[in-house]
Amino acid sequence: MTASGGDTQHGIRRRNLARVLRTVAAQGPVSRPAVAARIGLTRAGVAPLVDELLRAGLLVETGRAAPSGRGRPGSELAVSDRGPAGIGAEIGVDHLAVCAVDLRGRIRARAATDAVNRHSDPGPVLRRLSALLAEVTAEIAAEGLRPAGLAVAVPGLVARGTTTVVHAPNLGWRAADLAPGLASVTAPGRDARGIPLTVENEANLGALAELRLGGDGDGRPGPPPDFVHVSAEIGIGAAVVVDGQLLRGARGFAGELGHVPVYPDGHPCDCGGRGCLEQYAGERAVLRAGGLTPERSAAAHPGPGARIALLARRAADGDAATVRALHEAGTALGIALAGAVNLLDPRAVVLGGALAGLAPWILPSLERELALRTAVAADPGRAGGPLVTVSRLGADGPLLGAAHAALQAVLDDPFASCTSAHSPRS
Amino acid sequence: MTASGGDTQHGIRRRNLARVLRTVAAQGPVSRPAVAARIGLTRAGVAPLVDELLRAGLLVETGRAAPSGRGRPGSELAVSDRGPAGIGAEIGVDHLAVCAVDLRGRIRARAATDAVNRHSDPGPVLRRLSALLAEVTAEIAAEGLRPAGLAVAVPGLVARGTTTVVHAPNLGWRAADLAPGLASVTAPGRDARGIPLTVENEANLGALAELRLGGDGDGRPGPPPDFVHVSAEIGIGAAVVVDGQLLRGARGFAGELGHVPVYPDGHPCDCGGRGCLEQYAGERAVLRAGGLTPERSAAAHPGPGARIALLARRAADGDAATVRALHEAGTALGIALAGAVNLLDPRAVVLGGALAGLAPWILPSLERELALRTAVAADPGRAGGPLVTVSRLGADGPLLGAAHAALQAVLDDPFASCTSAHSPRS
């Protein structure tokens, strides 16, 4: 999503507005001269852009004098904590969640509910999600924020550039366009302003969150620009990031790690294949291997993360079957990831979603397989395979990634969705 | 490799020279106004660029009047069949080959020799290759062509942007910098002009050849911009092409399909892993499974492609062990490629190298596995998995890809390697 307009004067101005906004968003409170230096414009060139963004309420003056010694001291600039908010939503197999993030990247509202979405129709699921969205939207409106866009994370394949879920096996959805079911939020009639809708695979959004928020803010860096992000909820997905960009594949279906064959003659999979990773490292497979019944566990421990917490608890207590099940899940993950690493040569593998919470029991066997099976590409002096890291964001990744993706459109083109009255003067 | 120079007038001129040259190279004989229209410049803007390229001998006038009705008729333009040539070289496990391609894309000279490079030292191999290179260079010099660059295809991992083979298991090379051993060709002393050297994985160059030459010239299109190119000589490699560009990986090691685990508890592999694809679909594995001894077969049928031809002959004759071995190789390839397709969602899988000649016996089981194991991403109305095609270039792909890669530098920046006397006037 980049600002349109080509090389016309209007297009250049729109791009420069975006650069100023993104610079202030990334740097925190910052002086006008620092912004100018950062984006390579003169102070005189930056001034009208800043004024435009101040008038639109996207930037604010902090009131604190900028420390710069040269010229008339000006107030430092910051992005507004009012104005546009990115709305992220997540449709999980057993939960729905919504959050709103402001331009400063802070979560301003959040709502979630347990749900039984497995093999449900999209209609009722989207109605419940719309209710959650209305709740969050009302909450942020009271603080002077308005939705700038909505991105929805789904555990399935989304046709590239569309709002259609082509196949979400664990929801049982096929060829489901989510736009009509969310119209009450995104196109609420001609009096209210509509907002753009994005539907995206949850692993892709988890990877975007990792790219943006993966560092810990205390200097620990986020992931390198080439990594494979493994995400698990009920199913297992992955996202491939190359040079800081998602690799989406020809149709938008890249990253189906859960259906990479691990034991080709192994367990049959719902997808029609055999021995897919999901049959060894998916939540249901691990519960079963640990001596539990997935259905009974789901009934006794409903809600997102509840069975993962159960598994972690049993493993921490030393339950042998659970420890063995997680060890075997790690082995299967290591085999599948060895294939991915041999094919893609990423700098790192990031374990996100539910896997983050189970890392202590999964990592040893995973890393062993990965090192064993990627030795052909081992650098001299390095044990082999890339660095495996565990996401700090855990199961929150896809939801946060969705909210940030929804906000990105504003950062890329601050006035794109404005009526002519609000558009920048060219 | 793009023309440098940024947005200075000089830089823009260099880029426009490259655009004119590439347009004429791609379009064949073409009029000046057609070139101007193609690249979006005025006829007056194109004229001095064409003159510059004519003076440098990169373009020629065909003498045939351009059919354009408007203005003064001019002679059509074509790229020269003299001047710069791309030199491609291939270091195979059992052969060495060199070829030269002119700006028109025609092979102008070619030399090859059988060789026993397995577990050899790089020194003697590069000396023999240098002799072949000298032979080809002398041959094209007699026709008014001069080497513009040399690209060398190797069956191994090359560190991104370097001339160092990090690991070529079937050659037994580790951390071998090829530049010193090829200096007599690339930097032949201060009297002769040196040429740039590129070292590249052979599967990557096979994929580049496929991109450039994959169509049949009679309208059959080449591969789509997103494909996985599988290449087999003795080992098995692959190249991943995304949006028409090679995906190289963080270190340059992407595409190691031969070491993707297929049967994780299967045969041990030289790489230290187990059950790698190469142990089921590599040449030695197929010979063994077909009841032949790889070493004895190599002695009786030396040279590139000889054992592949042997296998094809036996299969065509209905030898049951060979047919079964190729069927099993196809199964293993299908399993490994199913992983790749689930991860990358390419539009097509192209079988190149030795696999092209064995396709009739490999394809049925390969396609069966691929369809079975990629059904989760099957479009409604499509059987599943991407289109599998067989390269027309076969075992020639990497060598041709190397020659074209060497020439690409000229097409991207026609005057880059010139001394100041030859550089374009800015």
Side-chain angles (χ1 to χ4, degrees):
Chain A
M1 284 182 273
T2 55
S4 58
D7 280 342
T8 63
Q9 215 182 342
H10 181 63
I12 292 169
R13 185 177 168 84
R14 279 173 77 172
R15 275 202 297 281
N16 281 334
L17 284 162
R19 292 167 72 203
V20 170
L21 182 61
R22 280 200 302 264
T23 301
V24 179
Q27 307 283 308
V30 64
S31 69
R32 284 167 172 83
V35 172
R38 189 75 181 195
I39 66 178
L41 289 178
T42 62
R43 291 167 66 163
V46 159
L49 301 168
V50 167
D51 288 345
E52 188 78 46
L53 293 164
L54 285 168
R55 266 199 305 278
L58 296 168
L59 292 185
V60 293
E61 303 199 74
T62 62
R64 211 173 62 185
S68 159
R70 283 212 263 158
R72 186 167 58 87
S75 167
E76 282 190 329
L77 300 167
V79 287
S80 174
D81 61 357
R82 300 167 73 86
I87 313 292
E90 185 179 17
I91 300 175
V93 175
D94 58 7
H95 73 289
L96 297 169
V98 173
C99 81
V101 167
D102 67 18
L103 278 175
R104 298 188 182 177
R106 290 190 313 185
I107 299 172
R108 298 293 291 274
R110 195 170 174 149
T113 178
D114 292 356
V116 184
N117 296 333
R118 178 178 283 274
H119 301 302
S120 62
D121 277 337
V125 174
L126 296 177
R127 274 196 293 280
R128 292 195 65 187
L129 186 64
S130 297
L132 275 192
L133 283 163
E135 203 179 293
V136 163
T137 307
E139 199 176 328
I140 61 169
E143 300 189 31
L145 286 156
R146 57 176 173 78
L150 167 63
V152 183
V154 292
L157 303 172
V158 180
R160 196 168 172 165
T162 76
T163 53
T164 295
V165 179
V166 174
H167 191 189
N170 286 311
L171 296 174
W173 294 4
R174 268 196 186 275
D177 182 1
L178 305 196
L182 294 169
S184 69
V185 182
T186 57
R190 58 180 174 175
D191 291 340
R193 188 194 291 163
I195 58 169
L197 169 67
T198 310
V199 179
E200 182 70 89
N201 175 273
E202 53 105 14
N204 281 353
L205 290 170
L208 286 181
E210 206 59 40
L211 267 176
R212 187 174 306 262
L213 308 167
D216 62 3
D218 285 332
R220 197 185 85 143
D226 296 271
F227 66 100
V228 173
H229 181 260
V230 186
S231 182
E233 197 220 10
I234 305 293
I236 291 178
V240 179
V241 177
V242 177
D243 284 339
Q245 301 289 321
L246 278 175
L247 185 155
R248 292 179 186 275
R251 296 169 297 172
F253 298 173
E256 279 297 298
L257 189 73
H259 298 283
V260 166
V262 170
Y263 300 111
D265 302 318
H267 304 321
C269 181
D270 294 342
C271 77
R274 263 192 179 277
C276 299
L277 173 62
E278 207 157 289
Q279 294 304 318
Y280 300 88
E283 182 185 295
R284 293 162 67 86
V286 176
L287 286 169
R288 219 179 280 121
L292 299 167
T293 314
E295 291 71 21
R296 249 182 269 164
S297 303
H301 305 271
R307 275 89 62 208
I308 300 301
L310 170 71
L311 288 168
R313 215 158 44 235
R314 290 169 71 99
D317 289 347
D319 177 71
T322 304
V323 169
R324 195 168 53 241
L326 290 173
H327 173 89
E328 282 164 13
T331 300
L333 272 161
I335 293 168
L337 285 169
V341 167
N342 274 304
L343 280 169
L344 299 168
D345 185 29
R347 188 76 66 187
V349 171
V350 180
L351 299 186
L355 295 174
L358 297 171
W361 302 282
I362 282 177
L363 267 184
S365 53
L366 188 163
E367 289 187 316
R368 183 180 169 280
E369 293 296 326
L370 201 53
L372 180 73
R373 298 177 187 281
T374 56
V376 71
D379 281 329
R382 206 166 122 208
L387 187 65
V388 181
T389 63
V390 177
S391 167
R392 270 190 333 112
L393 305 171
D396 273 354
L399 182 64
L400 293 175
H404 280 275
L407 205 53
Q408 191 63 40
V410 176
L411 292 169
D412 284 340
D413 194 0
F415 295 93
S417 67
C418 292
T419 61
S420 58
H422 295 80
S423 69
R425 293 170 303 180
S426 61
Chain B
M1 282 183 275
T2 54
S4 57
D7 281 342
T8 63
Q9 216 182 344
H10 181 64
I12 291 169
R13 186 179 169 85
R14 279 173 77 173
R15 273 203 297 281
N16 281 335
L17 284 163
R19 291 167 73 202
V20 171
L21 182 61
R22 280 200 303 266
T23 300
V24 179
Q27 305 284 307
V30 64
S31 70
R32 284 169 172 82
V35 172
R38 189 76 181 193
I39 66 177
L41 289 179
T42 62
R43 291 167 65 163
V46 159
L49 301 169
V50 167
D51 289 345
E52 189 78 45
L53 292 166
L54 285 168
R55 267 200 304 277
L58 296 169
L59 291 185
V60 293
E61 303 199 75
T62 62
R64 212 174 60 182
S68 157
R70 284 213 264 159
R72 188 168 55 87
S75 168
E76 282 190 328
L77 301 168
V79 287
S80 174
D81 60 358
R82 300 166 73 85
I87 313 291
E90 186 178 17
I91 299 175
V93 175
D94 58 8
H95 74 288
L96 297 170
V98 173
C99 79
V101 168
D102 67 18
L103 278 176
R104 297 188 183 178
R106 290 189 314 185
I107 299 172
R108 298 293 292 275
R110 196 171 173 146
T113 180
D114 292 356
V116 185
N117 297 333
R118 178 178 283 273
H119 301 302
S120 62
D121 275 337
V125 174
L126 296 178
R127 275 195 293 280
R128 292 195 65 187
L129 186 64
S130 297
L132 275 193
L133 283 163
E135 204 178 294
V136 163
T137 307
E139 200 177 327
I140 60 168
E143 301 188 30
L145 287 156
R146 57 176 173 76
L150 168 63
V152 182
V154 293
L157 303 172
V158 180
R160 197 169 173 164
T162 76
T163 53
T164 294
V165 179
V166 174
H167 190 191
N170 286 309
L171 297 174
W173 294 3
R174 268 195 186 275
D177 183 1
L178 306 196
L182 294 169
S184 69
V185 182
T186 57
R190 57 180 174 173
D191 292 340
R193 189 194 291 163
I195 58 169
L197 170 67
T198 310
V199 179
E200 182 69 270
N201 175 272
E202 53 105 15
N204 282 354
L205 291 170
L208 285 181
E210 206 58 40
L211 265 177
R212 187 173 307 263
L213 309 167
D216 62 4
D218 284 331
R220 198 186 82 144
D226 296 272
F227 66 100
V228 173
H229 181 259
V230 186
S231 182
E233 197 219 12
I234 304 293
I236 292 178
V240 179
V241 176
V242 177
D243 284 340
Q245 301 289 322
L246 279 175
L247 186 154
R248 292 178 188 276
R251 297 169 297 172
F253 298 174
E256 279 299 296
L257 188 73
H259 298 283
V260 166
V262 170
Y263 301 110
D265 302 318
H267 304 321
C269 182
D270 294 343
C271 78
R274 263 190 178 278
C276 298
L277 173 62
E278 207 157 290
Q279 294 304 316
Y280 301 88
E283 183 185 295
R284 294 162 66 85
V286 176
L287 287 169
R288 217 178 282 120
L292 299 166
T293 315
E295 291 71 21
R296 249 183 268 164
S297 303
H301 305 272
R307 275 90 61 209
I308 300 301
L310 170 71
L311 287 169
R313 217 157 44 235
R314 290 169 72 98
D317 290 346
D319 177 71
T322 304
V323 169
R324 195 170 50 244
L326 290 172
H327 173 89
E328 281 163 14
T331 301
L333 272 161
I335 294 167
L337 284 169
V341 167
N342 274 305
L343 280 169
L344 298 167
D345 186 28
R347 188 75 67 189
V349 171
V350 181
L351 300 186
L355 295 174
L358 298 172
W361 302 281
I362 283 177
L363 267 184
S365 53
L366 188 163
E367 290 188 315
R368 185 181 168 279
E369 292 297 325
L370 201 53
L372 179 73
R373 298 176 187 282
T374 56
V376 72
D379 280 330
R382 208 168 120 207
L387 188 65
V388 181
T389 62
V390 177
S391 168
R392 271 189 334 111
L393 306 171
D396 273 353
L399 182 64
L400 292 176
H404 279 275
L407 204 53
Q408 191 62 41
V410 176
L411 292 169
D412 283 341
D413 195 1
F415 296 93
S417 66
C418 293
T419 62
S420 58
H422 295 82
S423 68
R425 293 170 302 184
S426 61

